[in-house]
Amino acid sequence: MKTKIFMTVLGAGALLLVQNAGAFILANNSEHDITGIYAAAPDSPDWGKNLIKGKHLGSRQSCNLALEVSSDRFDLLIETRSGKKQEFHDYPAGTRQITLKTGGESFFSVK
């Protein structure tokens, strides 16, 4: 079961509570609107709730997230407006920015 992560929306950004991962920017540089962002520790089979339920992250938009996870790494599940789901795995704690690209690619930068 994936470890559940809780989120509070602050202005235009989102605060995501998971342990030790820190704050980062999620940049959507894909051609798709994102309607679901889920995060969990890598060893957890449950993604929990949609962290942006009722909102979306449009193409070429970004949001601020802060994570605290019980692991030194975390995974993301992204869902697009068309219903496509893509998993992104093994981001290290301390990641400062994750950029999602069309075609299922992602790039990240650490401190």
Side-chain angles (χ1 to χ4, degrees):
M1 178 180 233
K2 287 265 181 204
T3 303
K4 293 184 180 170
I5 299 170
F6 302 93
M7 180 198 72
T8 303
V9 176
L10 298 175
L15 177 64
L16 180 63
L17 302 176
V18 189
Q19 174 181 350
N20 297 328
F24 70 95
I25 297 167
L26 179 64
N28 179 14
N29 284 355
S30 76
E31 299 171 355
H32 307 283
D33 287 346
I34 294 172
T35 57
I37 302 173
Y38 305 81
D43 60 349
S44 183
D46 181 14
W47 288 104
K49 295 181 182 179
N50 180 355
L51 301 173
I52 60 169
K53 186 175 181 177
K55 300 183 187 300
H56 78 279
L57 183 63
S59 178
R60 311 294 178 225
Q61 292 183 332
S62 62
C63 66
N64 297 310
L65 302 172
L67 298 178
E68 280 191 26
V69 281
S70 58
S71 172
D72 62 348
R73 306 196 83 68
F74 64 96
D75 296 340
L76 293 176
L77 173 66
I78 304 298
E79 185 173 14
T80 65
R81 186 175 303 279
S82 66
K84 180 181 177 186
K85 294 182 180 180
Q86 177 76 45
E87 292 183 16
F88 297 89
H89 296 280
D90 211 29
Y91 294 108
T95 295
R96 291 295 170 212
Q97 179 165 335
I98 297 172
T99 303
L100 305 175
K101 303 276 189 175
T102 298
E105 293 181 293
S106 75
F107 302 91
F108 67 91
S109 60
V110 181
K111 297 179 185 180

